[in-house]
């Protein structure tokens, strides 16, 4: 199944995948306590995966620090789509 979704300010085609996971009960309960009260399980896992991607991407960017001293500065904020 494909659907169009908005992820941050970028429109992407998302392919949905159904899967079964085994997860630690205590870890899952902690996540539920921190999540919005009405959050669906699938949304909880999508947020967890997005967070992992952001953290790992940031670690890779930090690891590159100083390797391209002549690179132009990157804008701090994205421009909003028109």
């Amino acid at each position: 199944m494909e659907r169009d979704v908005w992820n941050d300010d970028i429109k992407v085609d998302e392919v949905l995948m159904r899967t079964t996971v085994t997860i630690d009960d205590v870890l899952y309960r902690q996540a539920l306590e921190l999540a919005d009260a009405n959050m669906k399980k699938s949304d909880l896992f999508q947020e967890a995966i997005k967070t992992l991607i952001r953290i790992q991407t940031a670690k890779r960017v930090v690891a590159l620090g100083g390797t391209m001293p002549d690179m132009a500065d990157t804008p701090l904020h994205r421009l909003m789509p028109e």
Side-chain angles (χ1 to χ4, degrees):
M1 173 191 284
E2 283 192 29
R3 64 184 171 136
D4 290 333
V5 297
W6 288 93
N7 179 12
D8 295 329
D9 299 319
I10 302 168
K11 189 170 189 246
V12 297
D13 288 333
E14 179 181 308
V15 177
L16 302 177
M17 180 181 74
R18 183 176 297 268
T19 187
T20 302
V21 297
T22 303
I23 188 167
D24 181 273
D25 289 336
V26 174
L27 183 64
Y28 182 64
R29 277 195 302 262
Q30 288 176 335
L32 287 176
E33 288 173 8
L34 295 171
D36 294 333
N38 298 324
M39 184 177 268
K40 296 185 292 186
K41 287 181 190 178
S42 60
D43 293 337
L44 176 67
F45 283 99
Q46 284 186 358
E47 286 301 313
I49 291 169
K50 288 178 186 178
T51 300
L52 173 70
I53 291 168
R54 279 194 302 269
I55 290 170
Q56 294 303 323
T57 300
K59 285 181 180 180
R60 289 180 182 185
V61 169
V62 168
L64 290 173
T67 61
M68 298 179 71
D70 297 330
M71 182 178 167
D73 288 339
T74 303
L76 295 178
H77 300 285
R78 290 189 217 165
L79 297 175
M80 297 300 290
E82 295 179 19

